Short mmCIF file of all heavy atoms in Angstrom, two decimals:
data_model
loop_
_atom_site.label_atom_id
_atom_site.label_comp_id
_atom_site.label_asym_id
_atom_site.label_seq_id
_atom_site.Cartn_x
_atom_site.Cartn_y
_atom_site.Cartn_z
N ASP A 28 278.92 143.07 149.18
CA ASP A 28 280.28 142.62 148.87
C ASP A 28 281.12 143.84 148.48
O ASP A 28 280.83 144.49 147.49
CB ASP A 28 280.23 141.61 147.74
CG ASP A 28 281.62 141.14 147.33
OD1 ASP A 28 282.58 141.30 148.09
OD2 ASP A 28 281.73 140.58 146.22
N TYR A 29 282.12 144.15 149.28
CA TYR A 29 282.97 145.31 149.01
C TYR A 29 284.33 144.92 148.44
O TYR A 29 285.25 145.71 148.44
CB TYR A 29 283.17 146.12 150.30
CG TYR A 29 281.87 146.58 150.90
CD1 TYR A 29 281.45 146.16 152.15
CD2 TYR A 29 281.05 147.45 150.20
CE1 TYR A 29 280.26 146.59 152.69
CE2 TYR A 29 279.85 147.89 150.74
CZ TYR A 29 279.46 147.45 151.99
OH TYR A 29 278.28 147.89 152.52
N SER A 30 284.47 143.70 147.94
CA SER A 30 285.77 143.25 147.44
C SER A 30 286.11 143.86 146.08
O SER A 30 287.28 143.94 145.73
CB SER A 30 285.80 141.72 147.34
OG SER A 30 284.82 141.27 146.42
N ASP A 31 285.11 144.31 145.32
CA ASP A 31 285.34 144.93 144.02
C ASP A 31 285.28 146.45 144.21
O ASP A 31 284.20 147.04 144.21
CB ASP A 31 284.28 144.46 143.02
CG ASP A 31 284.52 144.98 141.62
OD1 ASP A 31 285.29 145.95 141.46
OD2 ASP A 31 283.89 144.42 140.70
N VAL A 32 286.43 147.07 144.39
CA VAL A 32 286.49 148.49 144.71
C VAL A 32 285.87 149.34 143.60
O VAL A 32 285.13 150.29 143.88
CB VAL A 32 287.94 148.93 145.01
CG1 VAL A 32 288.03 150.44 145.21
CG2 VAL A 32 288.48 148.20 146.22
N ALA A 33 286.14 149.02 142.36
CA ALA A 33 285.59 149.80 141.25
C ALA A 33 284.06 149.74 141.25
O ALA A 33 283.39 150.76 141.07
CB ALA A 33 286.14 149.30 139.92
N ALA A 34 283.50 148.58 141.48
CA ALA A 34 282.05 148.43 141.52
C ALA A 34 281.47 149.19 142.71
O ALA A 34 280.41 149.81 142.61
CB ALA A 34 281.66 146.95 141.58
N PHE A 35 282.16 149.15 143.85
CA PHE A 35 281.69 149.86 145.03
C PHE A 35 281.70 151.36 144.78
O PHE A 35 280.75 152.06 145.13
CB PHE A 35 282.56 149.51 146.24
CG PHE A 35 282.13 150.23 147.48
CD1 PHE A 35 281.00 149.81 148.18
CD2 PHE A 35 282.82 151.33 147.94
CE1 PHE A 35 280.59 150.48 149.32
CE2 PHE A 35 282.41 152.01 149.07
CZ PHE A 35 281.29 151.58 149.76
N ARG A 36 282.77 151.88 144.17
CA ARG A 36 282.83 153.31 143.85
C ARG A 36 281.71 153.71 142.91
O ARG A 36 281.08 154.77 143.08
CB ARG A 36 284.18 153.67 143.25
CG ARG A 36 285.29 153.76 144.26
CD ARG A 36 286.55 154.27 143.64
NE ARG A 36 287.57 154.38 144.67
CZ ARG A 36 288.86 154.37 144.44
NH1 ARG A 36 289.30 154.25 143.22
NH2 ARG A 36 289.72 154.48 145.43
N LYS A 37 281.45 152.88 141.91
CA LYS A 37 280.38 153.16 140.96
C LYS A 37 279.04 153.23 141.69
O LYS A 37 278.24 154.14 141.48
CB LYS A 37 280.35 152.12 139.85
CG LYS A 37 279.29 152.38 138.83
CD LYS A 37 279.31 151.34 137.72
CE LYS A 37 278.25 151.71 136.70
NZ LYS A 37 277.47 150.62 136.23
N MET A 38 278.79 152.25 142.55
CA MET A 38 277.54 152.22 143.31
C MET A 38 277.42 153.46 144.21
O MET A 38 276.37 154.08 144.27
CB MET A 38 277.48 150.94 144.15
CG MET A 38 276.21 150.77 144.97
SD MET A 38 276.28 151.40 146.67
CE MET A 38 277.74 150.65 147.33
N ALA A 39 278.51 153.83 144.87
CA ALA A 39 278.49 155.00 145.76
C ALA A 39 278.23 156.27 144.95
O ALA A 39 277.46 157.14 145.38
CB ALA A 39 279.80 155.09 146.53
N ASP A 40 278.86 156.41 143.80
CA ASP A 40 278.63 157.58 142.94
C ASP A 40 277.18 157.65 142.48
O ASP A 40 276.57 158.72 142.48
CB ASP A 40 279.57 157.56 141.74
CG ASP A 40 281.02 157.86 142.09
OD1 ASP A 40 281.27 158.40 143.19
OD2 ASP A 40 281.89 157.54 141.27
N GLU A 41 276.62 156.51 142.09
CA GLU A 41 275.23 156.49 141.64
C GLU A 41 274.28 156.87 142.77
O GLU A 41 273.33 157.62 142.57
CB GLU A 41 274.88 155.11 141.08
CG GLU A 41 275.54 154.81 139.75
CD GLU A 41 275.39 153.37 139.30
OE1 GLU A 41 274.88 152.53 140.08
OE2 GLU A 41 275.79 153.09 138.16
N ARG A 42 274.54 156.39 143.96
CA ARG A 42 273.71 156.75 145.11
C ARG A 42 273.82 158.24 145.42
O ARG A 42 272.84 158.91 145.73
CB ARG A 42 274.09 155.95 146.35
CG ARG A 42 273.58 154.55 146.33
CD ARG A 42 273.88 153.86 147.65
NE ARG A 42 273.40 152.49 147.62
CZ ARG A 42 273.56 151.64 148.60
NH1 ARG A 42 274.20 152.01 149.70
NH2 ARG A 42 273.09 150.42 148.53
N GLY A 43 275.05 158.75 145.35
CA GLY A 43 275.26 160.17 145.60
C GLY A 43 274.52 161.04 144.59
O GLY A 43 273.89 162.04 144.95
N GLU A 44 274.58 160.67 143.32
CA GLU A 44 273.88 161.41 142.28
C GLU A 44 272.38 161.35 142.50
O GLU A 44 271.68 162.35 142.32
CB GLU A 44 274.26 160.87 140.90
CG GLU A 44 275.68 161.20 140.49
CD GLU A 44 276.11 160.50 139.22
OE1 GLU A 44 275.24 159.97 138.49
OE2 GLU A 44 277.32 160.48 138.94
N ALA A 45 271.86 160.20 142.89
CA ALA A 45 270.42 160.07 143.17
C ALA A 45 270.02 160.95 144.35
O ALA A 45 268.96 161.58 144.32
CB ALA A 45 270.07 158.61 143.44
N ASN A 46 270.86 161.01 145.37
CA ASN A 46 270.56 161.86 146.52
C ASN A 46 270.52 163.33 146.13
O ASN A 46 269.64 164.07 146.53
CB ASN A 46 271.59 161.66 147.64
CG ASN A 46 271.45 160.31 148.31
OD1 ASN A 46 270.40 159.69 148.27
ND2 ASN A 46 272.53 159.85 148.92
N ILE A 47 271.50 163.76 145.33
CA ILE A 47 271.55 165.15 144.89
C ILE A 47 270.33 165.48 144.04
O ILE A 47 269.71 166.53 144.19
CB ILE A 47 272.87 165.42 144.12
CG1 ILE A 47 274.05 165.37 145.10
CG2 ILE A 47 272.82 166.76 143.40
CD1 ILE A 47 275.40 165.31 144.43
N LYS A 48 269.95 164.56 143.17
CA LYS A 48 268.78 164.78 142.32
C LYS A 48 267.51 164.89 143.18
O LYS A 48 266.66 165.74 142.95
CB LYS A 48 268.64 163.62 141.32
CG LYS A 48 267.52 163.82 140.33
CD LYS A 48 267.50 162.69 139.31
CE LYS A 48 266.35 162.90 138.33
NZ LYS A 48 266.28 161.81 137.36
N ALA A 49 267.40 164.05 144.20
CA ALA A 49 266.23 164.08 145.08
C ALA A 49 266.17 165.38 145.88
O ALA A 49 265.08 165.92 146.12
CB ALA A 49 266.24 162.88 146.01
N LEU A 50 267.31 165.89 146.31
CA LEU A 50 267.35 167.11 147.11
C LEU A 50 267.14 168.36 146.27
O LEU A 50 266.65 169.37 146.75
CB LEU A 50 268.68 167.22 147.85
CG LEU A 50 268.92 166.22 148.96
CD1 LEU A 50 270.35 166.31 149.46
CD2 LEU A 50 267.93 166.43 150.09
N GLY A 51 267.54 168.31 145.00
CA GLY A 51 267.42 169.49 144.14
C GLY A 51 268.57 170.45 144.36
O GLY A 51 269.47 170.23 145.17
N ALA A 52 268.51 171.53 143.63
CA ALA A 52 269.56 172.55 143.71
C ALA A 52 269.45 173.30 145.04
O ALA A 52 268.37 173.42 145.60
CB ALA A 52 269.43 173.52 142.54
N PRO A 53 270.59 173.83 145.52
CA PRO A 53 270.53 174.62 146.74
C PRO A 53 269.74 175.92 146.49
O PRO A 53 269.61 176.35 145.34
CB PRO A 53 271.98 174.91 147.07
CG PRO A 53 272.74 174.69 145.82
CD PRO A 53 271.94 173.72 145.01
N PRO A 54 269.26 176.56 147.54
CA PRO A 54 268.55 177.83 147.38
C PRO A 54 269.47 178.87 146.72
O PRO A 54 270.69 178.76 146.80
CB PRO A 54 268.20 178.24 148.81
CG PRO A 54 268.39 177.04 149.65
CD PRO A 54 269.33 176.13 148.93
N PRO A 55 268.89 179.90 146.10
CA PRO A 55 269.70 180.89 145.39
C PRO A 55 270.68 181.66 146.30
O PRO A 55 271.67 182.18 145.81
CB PRO A 55 268.69 181.85 144.77
CG PRO A 55 267.36 181.45 145.26
CD PRO A 55 267.46 180.15 145.97
N ASP A 56 270.41 181.72 147.60
CA ASP A 56 271.30 182.44 148.49
C ASP A 56 272.38 181.54 149.11
O ASP A 56 273.01 181.89 150.09
CB ASP A 56 270.53 183.17 149.58
CG ASP A 56 269.65 182.23 150.41
OD1 ASP A 56 269.40 181.09 149.97
OD2 ASP A 56 269.22 182.64 151.51
N VAL A 57 272.60 180.37 148.49
CA VAL A 57 273.63 179.44 148.95
C VAL A 57 274.54 179.09 147.76
O VAL A 57 274.08 178.66 146.71
CB VAL A 57 273.00 178.15 149.52
CG1 VAL A 57 274.08 177.13 149.87
CG2 VAL A 57 272.16 178.46 150.75
N LYS A 58 275.82 179.32 147.94
CA LYS A 58 276.81 179.00 146.92
C LYS A 58 277.33 177.57 147.16
O LYS A 58 277.66 177.21 148.28
CB LYS A 58 277.97 179.99 146.98
CG LYS A 58 279.06 179.73 145.95
CD LYS A 58 280.11 180.84 146.00
CE LYS A 58 281.30 180.36 146.78
NZ LYS A 58 282.42 181.32 146.77
N GLN A 59 277.38 176.77 146.10
CA GLN A 59 277.86 175.38 146.18
C GLN A 59 279.15 175.26 145.36
O GLN A 59 279.19 175.66 144.20
CB GLN A 59 276.80 174.45 145.62
CG GLN A 59 277.24 173.03 145.49
CD GLN A 59 276.16 172.17 144.82
OE1 GLN A 59 275.00 172.26 145.17
NE2 GLN A 59 276.57 171.37 143.86
N THR A 60 280.19 174.70 145.97
CA THR A 60 281.44 174.43 145.25
C THR A 60 281.91 173.03 145.58
O THR A 60 281.73 172.54 146.70
CB THR A 60 282.54 175.45 145.61
OG1 THR A 60 282.72 175.47 147.02
CG2 THR A 60 282.22 176.84 145.13
N ASP A 61 282.52 172.38 144.59
CA ASP A 61 283.08 171.04 144.78
C ASP A 61 284.59 171.14 144.77
O ASP A 61 285.17 171.91 144.01
CB ASP A 61 282.64 170.10 143.66
CG ASP A 61 281.18 169.70 143.78
OD1 ASP A 61 280.65 169.71 144.90
OD2 ASP A 61 280.58 169.36 142.75
N HIS A 62 285.21 170.36 145.63
CA HIS A 62 286.67 170.32 145.74
C HIS A 62 287.12 168.86 145.73
O HIS A 62 286.40 167.99 146.24
CB HIS A 62 287.14 170.97 147.05
CG HIS A 62 286.69 172.38 147.20
ND1 HIS A 62 287.41 173.44 146.71
CD2 HIS A 62 285.58 172.91 147.78
CE1 HIS A 62 286.75 174.56 146.98
NE2 HIS A 62 285.64 174.25 147.63
N GLN A 63 288.29 168.58 145.18
CA GLN A 63 288.89 167.27 145.25
C GLN A 63 290.01 167.34 146.29
O GLN A 63 290.94 168.13 146.15
CB GLN A 63 289.46 166.84 143.89
CG GLN A 63 288.38 166.62 142.84
CD GLN A 63 287.47 165.46 143.19
OE1 GLN A 63 287.89 164.44 143.70
NE2 GLN A 63 286.19 165.63 142.90
N VAL A 64 289.90 166.54 147.33
CA VAL A 64 290.85 166.58 148.44
C VAL A 64 291.76 165.35 148.35
O VAL A 64 291.27 164.22 148.38
CB VAL A 64 290.12 166.60 149.80
CG1 VAL A 64 291.11 166.64 150.95
CG2 VAL A 64 289.14 167.77 149.86
N PRO A 65 293.07 165.55 148.20
CA PRO A 65 293.98 164.40 148.14
C PRO A 65 294.04 163.68 149.49
O PRO A 65 294.01 164.32 150.55
CB PRO A 65 295.33 165.01 147.78
CG PRO A 65 295.23 166.45 148.11
CD PRO A 65 293.78 166.83 148.10
N ILE A 66 294.13 162.35 149.43
CA ILE A 66 294.27 161.56 150.66
C ILE A 66 295.56 160.76 150.60
O ILE A 66 296.25 160.75 149.59
CB ILE A 66 293.02 160.68 150.91
CG1 ILE A 66 292.75 159.75 149.74
CG2 ILE A 66 291.81 161.56 151.17
CD1 ILE A 66 291.61 158.77 150.00
N TYR A 67 295.85 160.08 151.68
CA TYR A 67 297.17 159.46 151.89
C TYR A 67 297.59 158.48 150.80
O TYR A 67 298.77 158.32 150.54
CB TYR A 67 297.24 158.79 153.25
CG TYR A 67 296.40 157.51 153.34
CD1 TYR A 67 296.97 156.27 153.10
CD2 TYR A 67 295.07 157.57 153.66
CE1 TYR A 67 296.20 155.12 153.16
CE2 TYR A 67 294.29 156.42 153.73
CZ TYR A 67 294.87 155.20 153.47
OH TYR A 67 294.12 154.06 153.53
N ASP A 68 296.65 157.81 150.14
CA ASP A 68 297.05 156.80 149.14
C ASP A 68 297.21 157.38 147.74
O ASP A 68 297.42 156.66 146.78
CB ASP A 68 296.07 155.63 149.14
CG ASP A 68 294.70 156.01 148.61
OD1 ASP A 68 294.45 157.20 148.33
OD2 ASP A 68 293.86 155.10 148.48
N GLY A 69 297.10 158.71 147.62
CA GLY A 69 297.28 159.36 146.32
C GLY A 69 295.98 159.59 145.57
O GLY A 69 295.96 160.31 144.59
N SER A 70 294.88 158.99 146.02
CA SER A 70 293.60 159.24 145.37
C SER A 70 292.97 160.49 145.99
O SER A 70 293.57 161.15 146.84
CB SER A 70 292.68 158.02 145.51
OG SER A 70 292.42 157.74 146.86
N THR A 71 291.78 160.82 145.56
CA THR A 71 291.10 161.99 146.09
C THR A 71 289.69 161.65 146.52
O THR A 71 289.12 160.65 146.07
CB THR A 71 291.02 163.13 145.05
OG1 THR A 71 290.30 162.67 143.90
CG2 THR A 71 292.41 163.61 144.62
N VAL A 72 289.15 162.47 147.38
CA VAL A 72 287.73 162.38 147.76
C VAL A 72 287.10 163.73 147.46
O VAL A 72 287.76 164.78 147.52
CB VAL A 72 287.53 161.99 149.24
CG1 VAL A 72 288.01 160.59 149.51
CG2 VAL A 72 288.20 162.97 150.16
N ARG A 73 285.82 163.70 147.12
CA ARG A 73 285.12 164.93 146.80
C ARG A 73 284.58 165.56 148.08
O ARG A 73 284.05 164.87 148.96
CB ARG A 73 283.95 164.66 145.86
CG ARG A 73 283.20 165.93 145.47
CD ARG A 73 282.05 165.66 144.56
NE ARG A 73 281.08 164.86 145.30
CZ ARG A 73 280.19 164.08 144.73
NH1 ARG A 73 280.13 163.95 143.44
NH2 ARG A 73 279.34 163.39 145.46
N ALA A 74 284.73 166.86 148.18
CA ALA A 74 284.15 167.62 149.28
C ALA A 74 283.25 168.68 148.66
O ALA A 74 283.68 169.43 147.77
CB ALA A 74 285.24 168.28 150.12
N ARG A 75 282.02 168.72 149.08
CA ARG A 75 281.07 169.72 148.58
C ARG A 75 280.85 170.74 149.69
O ARG A 75 280.55 170.38 150.82
CB ARG A 75 279.76 169.06 148.19
CG ARG A 75 278.74 170.05 147.67
CD ARG A 75 277.65 169.39 146.90
NE ARG A 75 278.21 168.96 145.62
CZ ARG A 75 277.73 167.96 144.90
NH1 ARG A 75 276.71 167.27 145.33
NH2 ARG A 75 278.30 167.63 143.76
N VAL A 76 281.04 172.01 149.35
CA VAL A 76 280.94 173.09 150.32
C VAL A 76 279.73 173.96 149.98
O VAL A 76 279.56 174.35 148.82
CB VAL A 76 282.22 173.95 150.33
CG1 VAL A 76 282.11 175.12 151.29
CG2 VAL A 76 283.44 173.09 150.67
N TYR A 77 278.90 174.23 150.97
CA TYR A 77 277.76 175.13 150.83
C TYR A 77 278.02 176.35 151.69
O TYR A 77 278.32 176.21 152.87
CB TYR A 77 276.47 174.45 151.28
CG TYR A 77 276.10 173.25 150.45
CD1 TYR A 77 276.49 171.97 150.85
CD2 TYR A 77 275.35 173.39 149.29
CE1 TYR A 77 276.15 170.85 150.10
CE2 TYR A 77 275.00 172.28 148.53
CZ TYR A 77 275.40 171.01 148.94
OH TYR A 77 275.06 169.91 148.20
N GLN A 78 277.92 177.54 151.09
CA GLN A 78 278.20 178.77 151.82
C GLN A 78 277.05 179.75 151.59
O GLN A 78 276.61 179.93 150.46
CB GLN A 78 279.48 179.42 151.32
CG GLN A 78 280.73 178.60 151.57
CD GLN A 78 281.92 179.19 150.85
OE1 GLN A 78 282.02 179.07 149.64
NE2 GLN A 78 282.80 179.83 151.60
N PRO A 79 276.60 180.43 152.67
CA PRO A 79 275.58 181.45 152.48
C PRO A 79 276.16 182.66 151.74
O PRO A 79 277.32 183.00 151.93
CB PRO A 79 275.17 181.82 153.90
CG PRO A 79 276.31 181.41 154.75
CD PRO A 79 276.99 180.27 154.05
N VAL A 80 275.34 183.27 150.88
CA VAL A 80 275.77 184.45 150.13
C VAL A 80 274.72 185.53 150.33
O VAL A 80 273.55 185.29 150.03
CB VAL A 80 275.91 184.13 148.63
CG1 VAL A 80 276.28 185.36 147.84
CG2 VAL A 80 276.94 183.03 148.41
N PRO A 81 275.07 186.67 150.87
CA PRO A 81 276.38 187.03 151.37
C PRO A 81 276.67 186.34 152.70
O PRO A 81 275.75 185.95 153.42
CB PRO A 81 276.28 188.55 151.56
CG PRO A 81 274.85 188.80 151.82
CD PRO A 81 274.09 187.76 151.03
N ALA A 82 277.95 186.21 153.01
CA ALA A 82 278.35 185.56 154.26
C ALA A 82 277.91 186.42 155.45
O ALA A 82 278.05 187.64 155.42
CB ALA A 82 279.85 185.36 154.29
N PRO A 83 277.37 185.79 156.50
CA PRO A 83 276.98 186.56 157.69
C PRO A 83 278.20 187.21 158.35
O PRO A 83 279.27 186.61 158.41
CB PRO A 83 276.38 185.51 158.62
CG PRO A 83 276.15 184.31 157.81
CD PRO A 83 277.06 184.38 156.64
N LYS A 84 278.03 188.44 158.81
CA LYS A 84 279.15 189.15 159.45
C LYS A 84 279.64 188.44 160.69
O LYS A 84 280.81 188.47 161.03
CB LYS A 84 278.75 190.58 159.79
CG LYS A 84 278.56 191.43 158.56
CD LYS A 84 278.18 192.83 158.91
CE LYS A 84 278.00 193.58 157.58
NZ LYS A 84 277.55 194.91 157.74
N GLU A 85 278.73 187.76 161.39
CA GLU A 85 279.10 187.06 162.62
C GLU A 85 279.63 185.66 162.35
O GLU A 85 279.95 184.91 163.27
CB GLU A 85 277.90 186.99 163.58
CG GLU A 85 276.75 186.13 163.09
CD GLU A 85 275.81 186.81 162.08
OE1 GLU A 85 276.00 187.98 161.73
OE2 GLU A 85 274.88 186.13 161.64
N GLY A 86 279.77 185.30 161.07
CA GLY A 86 280.26 183.97 160.71
C GLY A 86 279.13 182.97 160.66
O GLY A 86 277.97 183.29 160.87
N SER A 87 279.47 181.74 160.34
CA SER A 87 278.47 180.68 160.28
C SER A 87 279.14 179.36 160.66
O SER A 87 280.36 179.23 160.59
CB SER A 87 277.85 180.59 158.88
OG SER A 87 278.84 180.41 157.90
N PRO A 88 278.36 178.38 161.09
CA PRO A 88 278.94 177.11 161.55
C PRO A 88 279.48 176.28 160.39
O PRO A 88 279.08 176.45 159.25
CB PRO A 88 277.77 176.41 162.23
CG PRO A 88 276.56 176.97 161.58
CD PRO A 88 276.90 178.39 161.22
N LEU A 89 280.36 175.36 160.71
CA LEU A 89 280.87 174.39 159.76
C LEU A 89 280.32 173.04 160.17
O LEU A 89 280.43 172.64 161.33
CB LEU A 89 282.40 174.35 159.79
CG LEU A 89 283.05 173.20 159.01
CD1 LEU A 89 282.79 173.37 157.51
CD2 LEU A 89 284.53 173.12 159.29
N ILE A 90 279.72 172.34 159.22
CA ILE A 90 279.20 171.01 159.47
C ILE A 90 279.86 170.06 158.47
O ILE A 90 279.85 170.31 157.26
CB ILE A 90 277.66 170.96 159.30
CG1 ILE A 90 277.01 171.96 160.26
CG2 ILE A 90 277.14 169.56 159.49
CD1 ILE A 90 275.54 172.16 160.01
N VAL A 91 280.44 168.99 158.96
CA VAL A 91 281.12 168.00 158.10
C VAL A 91 280.36 166.70 158.20
O VAL A 91 280.07 166.21 159.29
CB VAL A 91 282.59 167.82 158.54
CG1 VAL A 91 283.25 166.77 157.66
CG2 VAL A 91 283.34 169.13 158.50
N MET A 92 280.03 166.13 157.04
CA MET A 92 279.31 164.86 157.01
C MET A 92 280.06 163.88 156.13
O MET A 92 280.61 164.23 155.15
CB MET A 92 277.90 165.08 156.46
CG MET A 92 277.11 166.01 157.36
SD MET A 92 275.60 166.64 156.69
CE MET A 92 274.59 165.24 156.46
#
């Protein structure tokens, strides 16, 4: 039931936290940053960016999920 938006957001946040806990921290040569991206209705969505450190001279791919 997705009619209760607050409950759905809470459930999604809890699942996300469980996934992060299961995966563990990124390797030491990967930098992780979180960003809040504004969307059309005035709310925001979280974007998590993983970047290799140091960055490869030839660049690296971008993957969006």
Side-chain angles (χ1 to χ4, degrees):
D28 178 18
Y29 302 117
S30 62
D31 184 344
V32 174
F35 180 76
R36 283 187 178 157
K37 182 178 182 223
M38 181 267 308
D40 288 343
E41 289 170 353
R42 283 186 180 178
E44 289 172 15
N46 290 337
I47 290 167
K48 185 176 179 181
L50 291 171
D56 58 343
V57 175
K58 180 175 100 175
Q59 172 184 315
T60 54
D61 287 334
H62 303 272
Q63 293 295 322
V64 180
I66 57 175
Y67 71 94
D68 68 355
S70 61
T71 59
V72 294
R73 182 181 65 204
R75 180 162 287 154
V76 177
Y77 297 94
Q78 296 171 286
V80 177
K84 291 181 181 176
E85 67 279 359
S87 56
L89 170 66
I90 301 170
V91 179
M92 298 167 64

